[in-house]
């Protein structure tokens, strides 16, 4: 009887883990940049950083450099699949993104990492920690939890649908700067925040055949929109909590982290410490010095060295 009870409690978790691992085999090679100094302890697991939607590893350049200079860890920033210089391919769920981090670790011969993710990248790192906890020494999440994102999130589904519709309408004789000016008024009515509007517009690219496209792959993002942005928690059913140390750095001016979303967070990451800075969603940009200080302190001691 006892044996049957034990089996009935662990079988759903085993089945959930198997379903995740079947997806992990399709990880792709990511573009990445490594930051290190002589003070870094190279035997300590590095901090691997994945950015948010519509951004790239470049957005972390200054903070990553400061983290390696002031801390004891090497820092590796990646361009997530369908972003920056990494491949545009099908599949953009948190499982796909986590698989890519695992592929990077294999390529770099890394046995453990400190998994740091912002927004979309945070979802990837949560999935990696929950499905492959042996690969993750610690987790650092930036203004994201497993709970649904706020309804007023600027990168709504409509923005990515517009990206698909707008790019083919830009005259091919325009330069890249002229193309960006062409699309600016189109997106202004949807994206109200000036900084976020600039991020959308500067994702525009001039292709080799003189047509226009995007640094981000809107079709891939849309294909996984529900699992990645809306119903992410439902993809975690049956997985055991990650018992390692977790630091959640939130912005007080953002609606991504609330008391209710922290409660959801603690179900999956019970050893979470929450730090709230006077910032918006991009905490590391609004408060870079305080952000670096928190991360350096959190990663000061190597747990596996």
């Amino acid at each position: 009887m006892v044996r049957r009870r034990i089996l009935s409690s662990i079988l759903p978790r085993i089945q959930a883990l198997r379903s995740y691992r079947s997806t992990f085999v399709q990880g792709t090679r990511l573009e990445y940049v490594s930051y290190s100094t002589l003070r870094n302890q190279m035997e300590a697991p590095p901090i691997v950083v994945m950015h948010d939607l519509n951004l790239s590893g470049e957005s972390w350049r200054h903070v990553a450099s400061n983290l390696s200079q002031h801390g004891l860890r090497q820092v590796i920033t990646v361009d997530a699949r369908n972003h920056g210089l990494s491949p545009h391919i099908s599949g953009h769920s948190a499982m796909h993104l986590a698989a890519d981090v695992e592929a990077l670790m294999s390529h770099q011969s890394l046995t453990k990492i400190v998994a740091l993710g912002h927004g979309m990248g945070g979802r990837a790192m949560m999935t990696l920690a929950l499905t492959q906890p042996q690969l993750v020494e610690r987790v650092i999440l930036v203004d994201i939890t497993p709970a649904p994102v706020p309804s007023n999130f600027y990168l709504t589904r409509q923005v990515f649908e517009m990206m698909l519709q707008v790019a083919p309408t830009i005259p091919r004789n325009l330069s890249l700067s002229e193309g960006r000016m062409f699309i600016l008024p189109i997106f202004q009515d949807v994206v109200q925040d000036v900084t976020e509007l600039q991020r959308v517009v500067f994702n525009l690219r001039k292709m080799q055949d003189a047509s226009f496209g995007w640094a981000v792959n809107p079709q891939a993002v849309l294909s996984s929109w529900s699992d990645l942005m809306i119903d992410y928690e439902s993809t975690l059913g049956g997985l055991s909590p990650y018992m390692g140390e977790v630091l959640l750095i939130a912005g007080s001016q953002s609606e991504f982290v609330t008391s209710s979303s922290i409660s959801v967070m603690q179900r999956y990451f019970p050893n979470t410490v929450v730090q709230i800075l006077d910032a918006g969603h991009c905490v590391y940009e609004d408060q870079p010095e305080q952000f670096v200080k928190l991360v350096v302190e959190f990663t000061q001691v190597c747990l596996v060295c």
Side-chain angles (χ1 to χ4, degrees):
M1 180 66 71
V2 173
R3 182 172 181 271
R4 286 181 180 176
R5 287 177 180 171
I6 293 174
L7 285 174
S8 65
S9 66
I10 66 173
L11 276 176
R13 294 178 179 178
I14 293 173
Q15 291 166 351
L17 198 54
R18 282 176 179 168
S19 69
Y20 272 89
R21 284 178 174 167
S22 66
T23 307
F24 282 167
V25 295
Q26 298 301 323
T28 192
R29 183 75 64 86
L30 300 179
E31 191 74 16
Y32 68 92
V33 177
S34 179
Y35 300 82
S36 61
T37 65
L38 294 176
R39 66 177 277 121
N40 296 153
Q41 296 178 352
M42 301 308 289
E43 72 275 11
I47 301 172
V48 176
V49 181
M50 184 176 284
H51 56 84
D52 200 359
L53 269 169
N54 243 11
L55 294 171
S56 69
E58 174 66 17
S59 65
W60 281 84
R61 179 164 55 90
H62 294 299
V63 167
S65 178
N66 286 334
L67 281 174
S68 69
Q69 291 175 21
H70 296 289
L72 300 177
R73 309 277 184 143
Q74 176 192 15
V75 181
I76 300 172
T77 61
V78 303
D79 286 352
R81 64 165 61 200
N82 298 308
H83 288 73
L85 298 177
S86 286
H88 281 203
I89 54 178
S90 62
H92 198 80
S93 68
M95 292 182 285
H96 288 102
L97 298 172
D100 296 341
V101 177
E102 191 174 352
L104 174 75
M105 293 179 65
S106 178
H107 180 251
Q108 294 292 305
S109 300
L110 300 173
T111 57
K112 279 187 183 291
I113 63 168
V114 175
L116 191 161
H118 174 223
M120 173 195 75
R123 294 270 164 97
M125 296 309 192
M126 282 188 264
T127 295
L128 181 67
L130 289 168
T131 58
Q132 304 283 2
Q134 75 281 1
L135 300 181
V136 180
E137 182 199 6
R138 289 181 174 93
V139 178
I140 302 171
L141 300 174
V142 185
D143 211 49
I144 194 70
T145 72
V149 299
S151 58
N152 64 349
F153 181 39
Y154 83 95
L155 281 173
T156 62
R157 185 180 182 94
Q158 182 184 358
V159 172
F160 288 96
E161 290 172 343
M162 288 175 63
M163 285 180 168
L164 287 175
Q165 296 164 3
V166 167
T169 70
I170 307 172
R172 292 190 173 211
N173 64 313
L174 298 184
S175 66
L176 177 58
S177 61
E178 290 171 337
R180 287 171 173 167
M181 290 299 296
F182 180 87
I183 68 171
L184 183 61
I186 299 174
F187 285 94
Q188 275 180 328
D189 292 337
V190 178
V191 184
Q192 306 298 326
D193 184 88
V194 175
T195 300
E196 308 305 348
L197 176 63
Q198 289 177 340
R199 285 180 177 151
V200 173
V201 171
F202 277 92
N203 255 284
L204 188 70
R205 294 291 183 268
K206 183 83 169 176
M207 315 309 276
Q208 290 185 347
D209 64 357
S211 66
F212 286 87
W214 302 95
V216 67
N217 182 350
Q219 185 61 65
V221 172
L222 286 169
S223 70
S224 298
W225 185 263
S226 180
D227 284 351
L228 184 63
M229 305 305 298
I230 309 301
D231 300 318
Y232 172 72
E233 187 185 0
S234 67
T235 70
L236 306 179
L239 293 175
S240 298
Y242 173 77
M243 302 308 296
E245 297 178 358
V246 178
L247 173 63
L248 170 58
I249 306 177
S252 61
Q253 301 166 30
S254 167
E255 298 179 15
F256 277 77
V257 178
T258 62
S259 57
S260 61
S261 65
I262 290 173
S263 297
V264 174
M265 176 82 181
Q266 290 173 334
R267 289 205 294 267
Y268 300 95
F269 301 92
N271 296 318
T272 297
V273 173
V274 182
Q275 295 284 354
I276 300 177
L277 301 182
D278 182 17
H281 181 55
C282 292
V283 187
Y284 63 98
E285 290 184 344
D286 294 344
Q287 296 288 353
E289 292 183 4
Q290 291 185 55
F291 183 89
V292 167
K293 182 180 179 182
L294 287 174
V295 174
V296 167
E297 290 176 352
F298 184 65
T299 58
Q300 194 76 19
V301 177
C302 174
L303 301 177
V304 296
C305 297

